[in-house]
Amino acid sequence: MAKGPGQYSDIGKKARDLLFKDYNSDQKFTITTYSPTGVAITSSGTRKGDLFVADVNTQLKNKNITTDVKVDTNSNVFTTITVNEPAPGLKAIFNFKVPDQRSGKVELQYLHDYAGIKTSVGLTANPVINFSGVVGSNTLALGADVSFDTKIGELKTVNAGLNFTKDDLIASLTVNDKGDALNASYYHLVSPLTNTAVGAEVTHRFSTNENTLTLGTQHALDPLTTVKARVNNFGKANALIQHEWRPKSFFTISGEVDTKAIEKSAKVGLSLALKP
């Protein structure tokens, strides 16, 4: 079990990953290669219907500094510079996009045995300032996430949540969208040997009085092959199978059917991630 409460984004993460991670209705590929000097070059492409989107990412590591430069099909250049451990528990991140001169942002992250803090500020005359913090332990954590737009002088985001972990059970409760949405999630690792887990998430939105319930499970058929399935109260059912056909290289097939409109064609997604 990890030590400390982690960051705010870790609240409910196990359930979210079980219920939503790797499900895909598009065709995606990702290929990573390494130069003799250690530079990692990752090419990825996604086909969404008739639209094809691609990008190339170059990553260079020098001691505790990692530089990522990504270029997409719209000629946007994204640069991220990460400094790991300039001080114990601290991480500094600077990112910007060209040609958008207002996209620059500086972020600081700090992890402690009993706290996790993340703050960021945009590099503009009237920036958006974000702060999130968690206090507690690896058993019980309580946190909040807020962002303030200095241009209009208003809070853009106000979220709060708590996370409880006990052995193979994780339960979380969050209040999002300035109190409009209440979210509860549950994750249970049934069998560590086969990585069998079940999870659930329920969201109630007060403004529309709408409820969303999602149930899901996963199971490892063997050490290299995992199957997952989920269903929600709107009748959408999803399933996937993922195979690690070589170390860190995955082939994933996923599908979705609308059980309330079974005459419609099922959506099928393919994903290939290749690393040497």
Side-chain angles (χ1 to χ4, degrees), residues 15 19 42 53 66 69 86 102 116 118 122 138-139 142 149 155 172 175 181 191 200 232 241 247 266:
L19 295 172
T42 301
V53 180
T66 302
V69 179
R102 300 171 297 174
K118 182 187 295 185
N138 54 5
T139 301
L142 177 66
D149 191 334
L155 288 169
S172 67
V175 180
S191 173
N232 65 23
I241 181 169

Side-chain angles (χ1 to χ4, degrees), residues 21-38:
K21 186 178 180 182
D22 295 322
Y23 287 102
N24 164 49
S25 59
D26 306 315
Q27 286 74 52
K28 299 176 63 177
F29 75 87
T30 303
I31 300 176
T32 301
T33 59
Y34 293 90
S35 72
T37 58

Side-chain angles (χ1 to χ4, degrees), residues 12 30 64 84 103 117 124 147 177 187 190 222 234 260:
T30 303
N64 66 329
N84 289 293
S103 63
I117 297 172
T124 63
S147 64
D177 300 334
Y187 172 90
V190 179
D222 57 53
F234 298 111
K260 294 184 178 181

Side-chain angles (χ1 to χ4, degrees), residues 36-222:
T37 58
V39 177
I41 301 174
T42 301
S43 302
S44 64
T46 303
R47 182 179 179 180
K48 300 181 179 182
D50 295 329
L51 180 65
F52 183 79
V53 180
D55 61 66
V56 177
N57 184 84
T58 301
Q59 183 181 84
L60 174 64
K61 293 184 178 181
N62 181 22
K63 296 181 180 179
N64 66 329
I65 301 175
T66 302
T67 303
D68 290 273
V69 179
K70 182 173 72 173
V71 181
D72 65 15
T73 48
N74 294 320
S75 299
N76 294 310
V77 181
F78 304 83
T79 302
T80 302
I81 301 172
T82 304
V83 182
N84 289 293
E85 296 278 332
L90 186 66
K91 178 187 289 187
I93 302 172
F94 171 59
N95 58 62
F96 60 92
K97 180 177 74 172
V98 176
D100 187 355
Q101 299 179 354
R102 300 171 297 174
S103 63
K105 184 175 72 173
V106 173
E107 179 177 308
L108 292 176
Q109 300 179 12
Y110 177 71
L111 283 175
H112 184 269
D113 291 347
Y114 302 102
I117 297 172
K118 182 187 295 185
T119 183
S120 65
V121 58
L123 301 180
T124 63
N126 303 108
V128 173
I129 302 172
N130 179 268
F131 175 85
S132 65
V134 179
V135 295
S137 64
N138 54 5
T139 301
L140 181 64
L142 177 66
D145 175 36
V146 298
S147 64
F148 182 77
D149 191 334
T150 60
K151 185 176 182 179
I152 60 177
E154 291 183 3
L155 288 169
K156 291 185 62 179
T157 304
V158 179
N159 302 323
L162 63 87
N163 204 72
F164 176 75
T165 304
K166 180 63 175 178
D167 299 327
D168 52 10
L169 302 175
I170 302 175
S172 67
L173 181 69
T174 58
V175 180
N176 304 312
D177 300 334
K178 299 181 181 180
D180 183 53
L182 180 66
N183 178 282
S185 65
Y186 167 82
Y187 172 90
H188 180 201
L189 181 61
V190 179
S191 173
L193 184 63
T194 58
N195 198 28
T196 302
V198 295
E201 181 185 76
V202 58
T203 300
H204 176 75
R205 191 162 291 277
F206 295 98
S207 60
T208 60
N209 200 32
E210 182 180 77
N211 296 309
T212 302
L213 172 65
T214 305
L215 305 173
T217 185
Q218 71 176 24
H219 175 74
L221 300 176
D222 57 53

